[in-house]
Amino acid sequence: MMLPGSFRKKYVGTFIGLIVCAASLWYLASAYQWQDVFPALGAVQYQLLIVQIWGVHFCYICLRTWRLYLLVRRINPEISFADLYIITAIVVSLAILTPGQLGELLKVEVLKRRNLLNRLPGLGSLIAERFADLLVVAGIACTGFFFADNITRRYPVLAVGGGLCCVGLVVFFVLLHYLSRGKQSSWWSQLRSGYIAPGLWVKTLVLTMLSWGCVAWGWSLILAAVQVHLALWELVWLLSLVTIGTIVSLVPGGFGVAEVLTVELLIELGVAPVAAQAGALLLRMYGFILVFFGLLHILYCGFVIFLKKYKDKPRQ
């Protein structure tokens, strides 16, 4: 019996993701020795590191919320920053575990169910957010190749592919925005209402760069905990390449893939293999710290709902 096309695509994507994950884990286990890594991890002050990461991630979530607020307040002027903050903190923090961080699509559904935004304008805003993120990350990756001459010579296809990706993103969005102006269908108009007005592009891109700066700040704290210190351009370049690799790998959270990319790139940047391996493992822990940040916000929401029901309960 033939499966429906959507199920076939789902299973194919899952199968590819499993193969990539298994191959990455096999490579990590066979290519590196890990017994010397654990003493370095044991010397980390985890309590202080967690507090620092949560502080940086809070700044990141605030910037992401501000960006979303700029996008959607044109559609719903009554929407509040606090509502968007809670939704962003939960969804963005937990979306780290999903393939390509596609779990952020849940944000559109939550906005719809809370009667804050219709589904199509919400989807349009999400498209604009993802476009800004990809443009900034791809731009950083391409810029890094001008500084990393050794890697550019070894992997010229990466530099060319990154440049084409940036150009393609800009051309695609410009064509999508301007060539669709003549379309009058209601669903398309609703979708385009979530796009950014040209005057807001500068603000949105600035907030996007600041938010990725917070991510780089968090990575620098993680790597410094295992005595890995990189120049600013090296840090943001590493972040951009690992992010792109994680997104295209189809592996939930980039498990295995992110570690391979991190170790290999850190070694190329002159970091000792043991320190690179420790940094990769600690960056994986960084993802779980962010997930716990989102879970704390879920507990907060549950506590607020409980208090509201308790206050509304009739007294006898």
Side-chain angles (χ1 to χ4, degrees):
M1 182 178 63
M2 294 294 292
L3 292 173
S6 59
F7 283 95
R8 288 201 299 270
K9 292 178 181 178
K10 177 182 177 181
Y11 287 132
V12 168
T14 302
F15 182 68
I16 293 175
L18 288 174
I19 291 178
V20 173
C21 179
S24 300
L25 293 176
W26 176 84
Y27 176 78
L28 288 170
S30 60
Y32 297 101
Q33 301 296 323
W34 294 90
Q35 61 269 20
D36 296 331
V37 175
F38 298 105
L41 293 176
V44 176
Q45 297 180 344
Y46 289 100
Q47 295 88 345
L48 176 61
L49 184 62
I50 290 173
V51 172
Q52 291 174 330
I53 293 302
W54 278 354
V56 174
H57 190 58
F58 173 75
C59 296
Y60 170 75
I61 293 297
C62 288
L63 289 168
R64 287 289 306 267
T65 305
W66 189 5
R67 184 179 69 176
L68 180 60
Y69 179 70
L70 289 178
L71 292 173
V72 301
R73 69 175 179 175
R74 300 178 300 108
I75 307 167
N76 180 9
E78 298 180 358
I79 199 167
S80 70
F81 185 90
D83 287 333
L84 293 178
Y85 169 80
I86 291 295
I87 296 172
T88 302
I90 295 174
V91 175
V92 171
S93 299
L94 299 183
I96 296 173
L97 299 176
T98 59
Q101 297 188 5
L102 292 177
E104 288 199 33
L105 286 169
L106 182 62
K107 182 166 56 179
V108 177
E109 192 62 28
V110 174
L111 290 170
K112 173 66 171 61
R113 290 181 177 273
R114 297 193 61 181
N115 296 317
L116 296 174
L117 203 66
N118 289 330
R119 188 172 288 112
L120 286 175
L123 183 59
S125 298
L126 180 62
I127 291 173
E129 284 191 288
R130 300 306 286 174
F131 170 79
D133 286 329
L134 289 173
L135 184 61
V136 169
V137 171
I140 293 173
C142 292
T143 304
F145 282 111
F146 289 100
F147 297 94
D149 294 334
N150 56 331
I151 299 180
T152 304
R153 288 193 298 268
R154 288 184 60 183
Y155 309 107
V157 67
L158 293 179
V160 176
L164 292 176
C165 180
C166 286
V167 174
L169 282 171
V170 174
V171 171
F172 172 76
F173 195 79
V174 169
L175 290 176
L176 185 65
H177 182 75
Y178 288 102
L179 296 184
S180 61
R181 285 185 169 183
K183 295 183 178 294
Q184 301 297 325
S185 61
S186 58
W187 72 268
W188 186 262
S189 299
Q190 291 183 57
L191 181 66
R192 289 188 67 240
S193 67
Y195 289 173
I196 313 173
L200 290 178
W201 264 112
V202 174
K203 294 180 181 178
T204 302
L205 288 175
V206 168
L207 288 173
T208 301
M209 288 186 285
L210 290 175
S211 64
W212 280 102
C214 286
V215 179
W217 185 10
W219 278 46
S220 68
L221 293 174
I222 289 290
L223 294 175
V226 289
Q227 305 305 314
V228 174
H229 303 282
L230 301 176
L232 178 60
W233 75 265
E234 293 175 328
L235 179 65
V236 295
W237 185 65
L238 171 70
L239 168 62
S240 63
L241 289 183
V242 173
T243 300
I244 293 173
T246 300
I247 291 174
V248 302
S249 67
L250 300 178
V251 178
F255 187 73
V257 177
E259 285 74 17
V260 169
L261 290 172
T262 302
V263 173
E264 292 291 329
L265 291 172
L266 283 176
I267 291 175
E268 289 289 345
L269 292 172
V271 177
V274 172
Q277 293 167 245
L281 290 180
L282 205 56
L283 282 172
R284 174 56 58 189
M285 190 179 298
Y286 167 79
F288 290 115
I289 293 173
L290 303 189
V291 169
F292 191 57
F293 182 90
L295 293 177
L296 286 178
H297 281 73
I298 293 178
L299 291 176
Y300 168 78
C301 291
F303 181 70
V304 170
I305 293 173
F306 170 78
L307 287 181
K308 183 178 180 180
K309 289 183 177 180
Y310 179 78
K311 291 180 180 180
D312 295 340
K313 185 178 179 180
R315 303 296 178 86
Q316 295 182 351

